[in-house]
Amino acid sequence: MSEAMLALDGIEKGYNRGKPSEVIVLRGASLTVAKGEVVALVAPSGAGKSTLLHIAGLLDVADAGTVSLGGAEMGGLSDRVRTEVRRAEVGFIYQFHHLLPEFSALENVVIPQLANGATRAAAEARAMDLLGKVGLGPRAGHRPAALSGGEQQRVAFCRALANAPKLLLADEPTGNLDPATSDQVFGVLMELVRSTGLSALIATHNLELAARMDRVVRLSAGQVT
Ligand code: ADP
């Protein structure tokens, strides 16, 4: 078996622990994503997909269990190191594009690279390359408001890949689009992921999209099956 890019082992997570409003979301969830593998995470709304993705992407900390990225265990790292690892190794895509409205598509893909230490020239070249791959080269100078929903989401894909992450985490990445656009934009995402050999964990309600990935796992009762 190839080496795991992401390994979650025995993840437990609850909110408002010890209070009457306590919610236990994850109860020993374990899952691996191999290098270059694209895994679909299917679960009903409220099952804890976002919680699991945030823990996998070092945006949140589990109450128990371990997270390993590329074979390295992430427990016990300082917040500063976690942020550095996240910025360099993990790309996120959300249901809503969350692009910066006052900046062009190009700038939205350049900015995270500058934050990661790239020169402007290198960042712009990479941004143009990525936007070209998703068919948006001619739209690079446009602000998000001038783009369609599917185009905005394609820019968000480029932004997620801007720093050449090793792991892509996506939370309903086409969930906000009409079915035909969702289908087409998902195809663009898969091509991008395959062309870079990226590992990905993609949460979706859509079983047809899930079936286009390498493997499907389900999250229910706080565990991955
Ligand atoms: P999904 O992404 O599968 O819809 P989430 O991970 O967003 O699920 O949420 C799982 C459960 O945890 C839900 O019942 C939600 O209400 C609860 N939850 C999420 N975040 C918090 C929080 N910060 N405080 C309290 N409950 C939360």
Side-chain angles (χ1 to χ4, degrees):
M1 203 182 115
S2 53
E3 197 183 328
M5 184 56 227
L6 169 69
L8 302 179
D9 193 21
I11 299 292
E12 295 179 20
K13 180 70 179 178
Y15 297 104
N16 307 329
R17 290 268 191 194
K19 297 187 188 155
S21 55
E22 180 176 80
V23 192
I24 310 292
V25 182
L26 301 175
R27 302 171 183 268
S30 300
L31 127 90
T32 60
V33 180
K35 289 193 172 154
E37 189 182 29
V38 179
V39 176
L41 178 65
V42 174
S45 183
K49 293 187 303 287
S50 304
T51 300
L52 188 83
L53 290 172
H54 284 161
I55 290 171
L58 311 181
L59 284 168
D60 200 355
V61 182
D63 299 332
T66 59
V67 178
S68 301
L69 292 180
E73 224 250 90
M74 295 290 124
L77 300 182
S78 67
D79 282 351
R80 186 180 58 79
V81 174
R82 286 170 63 87
T83 301
E84 279 172 13
V85 172
R86 180 170 67 242
R87 198 180 276 155
E89 303 207 1
V90 184
F92 283 95
I93 302 170
Y94 298 95
Q95 181 172 354
F96 299 98
H97 58 78
H98 296 304
L99 297 173
L100 299 170
E102 66 275 42
F103 290 98
S104 67
L106 181 78
E107 283 297 314
N108 269 281
V109 186
V110 162
I111 289 165
Q113 298 180 72
L114 299 181
N116 200 38
T119 64
R120 173 159 282 277
E124 286 188 2
R126 178 162 173 79
M128 280 311 298
D129 180 52
L130 285 166
L131 289 167
K133 282 188 177 151
V134 301
L136 289 178
R139 310 299 300 276
H142 292 203
R143 290 185 184 188
L147 304 173
S148 72
E151 289 166 344
Q152 291 167 345
Q153 205 56 346
R154 284 189 266 155
V155 177
F157 299 167
C158 296
R159 179 188 52 190
L161 268 64
N163 288 328
K166 300 191 181 102
L167 176 67
L168 179 70
L169 299 172
D171 198 350
E172 301 278 355
T174 64
N176 193 38
L177 305 173
D178 65 78
T181 307
S182 165
D183 204 59
Q184 187 251 337
V185 167
F186 184 79
V188 170
L189 176 62
M190 287 300 281
E191 270 175 39
L192 206 52
V193 167
R194 296 300 189 195
S195 73
T196 50
L198 201 55
S199 308
L201 181 61
I202 302 178
T204 181
H205 290 303
N206 184 323
L207 297 180
E208 278 173 36
L209 297 187
R212 287 160 68 178
M213 301 187 219
D214 296 326
R215 188 157 59 89
V216 179
V217 298
R218 285 165 202 280
L219 180 61
S220 74
Q223 299 201 332
V224 178
T225 53

